[in-house]
Amino acid sequence: MNNDKNMEFIMKYQTYLLSEKHLSDNSIFSYCEDIMLFLKYINKDVTSITKENIYNYLAYLDKEKYSVYSVARKISSLKSFYIFLNKHYQMKNIIDDIEMPKYYKKLPTILTIEEIDKLLNVNLVSAYDYRNKAMLELMYATGLRVSELVNLDINSVNLEKKFVRCIGKGSKERIVPIGDVACNYLNIYLNEYRDKLTKNRLCESLFLNNHGKGISRHGFNYIIQNILKEKGIKTKITPHSLRHTFATTLLNNGADLRTIQELLGHSDVVTTRIYTHTANNKLKEDYIKYNTRKEE
């Protein structure tokens, strides 16, 4: 196998995902990781791979007990790769007619009202406590992805008009309204405590870590896990659980699925339909009314 040639294809594919598909760094990494695993197993030059090779690879994944979700993702990555090869190098798309495995999406973890109250009831003593409170309230109030939350800068939030501007998947910008409670704690954090976390650094990130730099996904998850432990919440909760809870709360209170799709930044309403296991009511009023948390 000509490894150099294959790596050249991989590098150009990375550029394609970034410049034409506008995917995030994490998505690009996942796609390329899947493709490299495939090429390592096939051990052939890209230009000489056959459909039989692909079927053998899928049989290998089955033999190695890869989950149906993982196999589906790998097939999706290969389909994207061959679309790129066909478009830019006129290679035959030998995977186009290979079907995705059928599977049922695992329902997201949803927090109960009691768990939400415990999680958001942060003991406010230090500047870090006020930062944590503002982050959690904002995430619960808007349903932002963790990556979107940690990438916010100080100009992303408009407290006067009560909205946040974020950049989602595919570098798509969207504006999401913020409820009164989140606005209140963001205002306190920004005006009274954020400067205490800067460590004399110039940083535009909205939420800062203990080094005066923008907080990371790992850092945010670490904060949540510590709060869960402190509050005695034993449910397996991830930062994404707040996003799921946000969507389910709106749906349970009658919000339209298309409205939730827009707020979450889903490109396809099919993705949003996973939340319909909790309710199927028609739209009553807009987002602000559905946010059940009131000013304290």
Side-chain angles (χ1 to χ4, degrees):
M1 178 181 70
N2 188 340
N3 286 316
D4 291 339
K5 185 67 176 177
N6 282 353
M7 286 307 300
E8 182 180 337
F9 280 121
I10 290 288
M11 291 176 68
K12 289 182 177 178
Y13 178 56
Q14 285 180 316
T15 302
Y16 161 79
L17 293 177
L18 179 64
S19 61
E20 294 191 36
K21 304 301 289 183
H22 306 294
L23 298 186
S24 67
D25 290 343
N26 287 337
S27 296
I28 292 173
F29 177 81
S30 296
Y31 272 106
C32 291
E33 187 178 45
D34 287 339
I35 300 305
M36 291 179 73
L37 179 66
F38 166 71
L39 293 176
K40 181 179 179 181
Y41 173 80
I42 298 299
N43 196 31
K44 292 172 67 175
D45 190 282
V46 168
T47 57
S48 62
I49 293 174
T50 65
K51 182 172 286 191
E52 183 180 1
N53 294 144
I54 293 177
Y55 280 124
N56 289 339
Y57 175 64
L58 296 178
Y60 159 76
L61 295 178
D62 182 63
K63 181 182 177 182
E64 293 297 311
K65 308 294 185 185
Y66 279 84
S67 72
V68 66
Y69 310 105
S70 181
V71 172
R73 193 196 74 185
K74 286 175 170 52
I75 292 176
S76 178
S77 296
L78 285 173
K79 283 180 177 287
S80 171
F81 184 54
Y82 272 93
I83 287 173
F84 158 76
L85 293 175
N86 177 260
K87 179 179 180 179
H88 291 275
Y89 299 97
Q90 291 71 54
M91 292 188 198
K92 184 177 179 181
N93 190 340
I94 59 176
I95 196 174
D96 186 50
D97 59 351
I98 292 180
E99 295 184 359
M100 300 287 283
K102 293 182 179 180
Y103 63 94
Y104 295 96
K105 269 197 169 183
K106 182 180 179 182
L107 294 177
T109 300
I110 306 298
L111 285 76
T112 65
I113 294 175
E114 182 183 7
E115 288 171 336
I116 279 291
D117 287 341
K118 281 186 177 181
L119 183 64
L120 298 180
N121 186 24
V122 178
N123 186 24
L124 300 174
V125 177
S126 69
Y128 296 109
D129 296 327
Y130 280 92
R131 176 204 62 189
N132 296 346
K133 175 70 170 175
M135 285 195 301
L136 292 173
E137 289 286 359
L138 179 61
M139 197 167 188
Y140 179 57
T142 59
L144 295 184
R145 299 178 178 93
V146 182
S147 57
E148 294 168 348
L149 182 83
V150 300
N151 286 326
L152 295 175
D153 60 39
I154 55 177
N155 296 314
S156 299
V157 175
N158 187 319
L159 295 180
E160 182 180 349
K161 295 184 178 179
K162 298 182 179 181
F163 70 79
V164 60
R165 179 182 284 107
C166 67
I167 305 299
K169 289 186 176 180
S171 298
K172 294 179 180 178
E173 181 183 89
R174 74 181 188 281
I175 294 175
V176 184
I178 310 174
D180 290 339
V181 176
C183 275
N184 177 50
Y185 284 104
L186 278 167
N187 185 57
I188 294 172
Y189 164 70
L190 283 170
N191 291 314
E192 299 180 34
Y193 293 98
R194 184 182 178 278
D195 284 349
K196 297 178 181 180
L197 304 180
T198 59
K199 307 294 183 183
N200 296 318
R201 291 178 179 271
L202 291 176
C203 181
E204 294 296 307
S205 296
L206 178 60
F207 297 113
L208 305 177
N209 61 20
N210 58 352
H211 299 294
K213 299 179 181 179
I215 200 162
S216 65
R217 291 166 60 108
H218 175 76
F220 182 74
N221 184 56
Y222 180 79
I223 289 167
I224 279 196
Q225 297 309 318
N226 277 347
I227 294 175
L228 292 174
K229 185 176 180 181
E230 175 189 325
K231 301 291 184 181
I233 301 174
K234 299 188 181 298
T235 305
K236 189 176 181 180
I237 294 171
T238 68
H240 219 58
S241 300
L242 283 170
R243 176 171 165 87
H244 298 320
T245 305
F246 162 82
T248 304
T249 299
L250 294 185
L251 196 61
N252 279 338
N253 285 278
D256 180 77
L257 204 59
R258 289 287 181 182
T259 301
I260 298 173
Q261 175 194 359
E262 187 173 340
L263 291 170
L264 292 176
H266 287 159
S267 59
D268 193 325
V269 75
V270 171
T271 308
T272 318
R273 283 202 185 105
I274 193 170
Y275 299 106
T276 58
H277 69 287
T278 60
N280 191 26
N281 302 321
K282 66 178 181 178
L283 180 61
K284 295 177 182 176
E285 291 185 43
D286 63 13
Y287 158 80
I288 298 297
K289 182 172 180 180
Y290 298 131
N291 190 327
T292 57
R293 286 179 63 73
K294 304 298 181 183
E295 182 62 79
E296 296 175 355

